[in-house]
């Protein structure tokens, strides 16, 4: 392992922790997952970029078509930043249940109906519009 890889892994360990929702000790302002339970907890309260590292790692490891975003706190700012980041990538369908469908659809650049169709069938025709 190179020095750069070692440093990146240490940085990721600071921001990302796999914690089952049932075993949660503290609240995280971003959780990522392929299901609504969102087991990957991200500690990036200021939205300073740790969430991007966590999302990139999650995408490499899981390669999902559908990504769920959630916050354990009332502050949804990092959820919104993660949504914006994923919308720029344009390869996945994002579900952020704490945000209105209208807001998520607008961030993804599609109509609400297209967004809802993509959530139901992430590999269908509507998902191509989000990409």
């Amino acid at each position: 392992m190179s020095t750069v890889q070692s440093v990146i892994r240490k940085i990721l360990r600071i921001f990302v922790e796999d914690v089952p929702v049932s075993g949660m000790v503290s609240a995280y302002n971003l959780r990522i997952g392929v299901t609504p339970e969102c087991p990957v907890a991200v500690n990036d309260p200021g939205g300073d970029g740790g969430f991007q590292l966590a999302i990139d790692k999650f995408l490499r490891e899981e390669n999902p078509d559908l990504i769920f975003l959630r916050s354990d706190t009332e502050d949804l700012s990092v959820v919104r930043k993660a949504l914006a980041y994923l919308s720029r990538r344009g390869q996945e369908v994002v579900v952020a249940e704490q945000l209105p469908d209208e807001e998520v659809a607008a961030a993804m650049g599609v109509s609400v109906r297209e967004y809802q169709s993509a959530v139901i069938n992430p590999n269908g025709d509507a998902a191509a519009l989000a990409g």
Side-chain angles (χ1 to χ4, degrees):
M1 178 178 348
S2 73
T3 304
V4 173
Q5 287 175 323
S6 176
V7 169
I8 289 171
R9 286 178 189 223
K10 286 179 184 175
I11 291 170
L12 283 173
R13 274 189 236 121
I14 292 170
F15 289 107
V16 180
E17 180 180 342
D18 288 326
V19 178
V21 175
S22 61
M24 232 173 23
V25 176
S26 62
Y28 291 89
N29 63 339
L30 181 65
R31 286 187 172 271
I32 309 165
V34 294
T35 65
E37 286 76 38
C38 302
V40 178
V42 182
N43 186 15
D44 189 10
D48 298 323
F51 72 93
Q52 289 180 7
L53 294 172
I55 288 171
D56 290 341
K57 177 183 178 203
F58 173 76
L59 293 174
R60 274 192 315 275
E61 291 177 356
E62 298 292 332
N63 194 25
D65 294 322
L66 193 62
I67 299 172
F68 288 84
L69 302 176
R70 181 170 70 70
S71 175
D72 295 337
T73 70
E74 300 273 329
D75 180 10
L76 301 177
S77 62
V78 178
V79 171
R80 286 184 172 96
K81 286 182 181 187
L83 174 62
Y85 177 68
L86 286 165
S87 72
R88 288 190 302 272
R89 291 180 47 93
Q91 298 170 355
E92 300 82 19
V93 177
V94 180
V95 177
E97 293 176 343
Q98 294 166 303
L99 301 176
D101 284 356
E102 295 80 10
E103 183 177 344
V104 179
M108 300 305 287
V110 298
S111 72
V112 174
R113 186 171 181 187
E114 291 166 333
Y115 166 70
Q116 291 169 339
S117 294
V119 170
I120 292 168
N121 183 5
N123 295 311
D125 294 338
L129 297 171

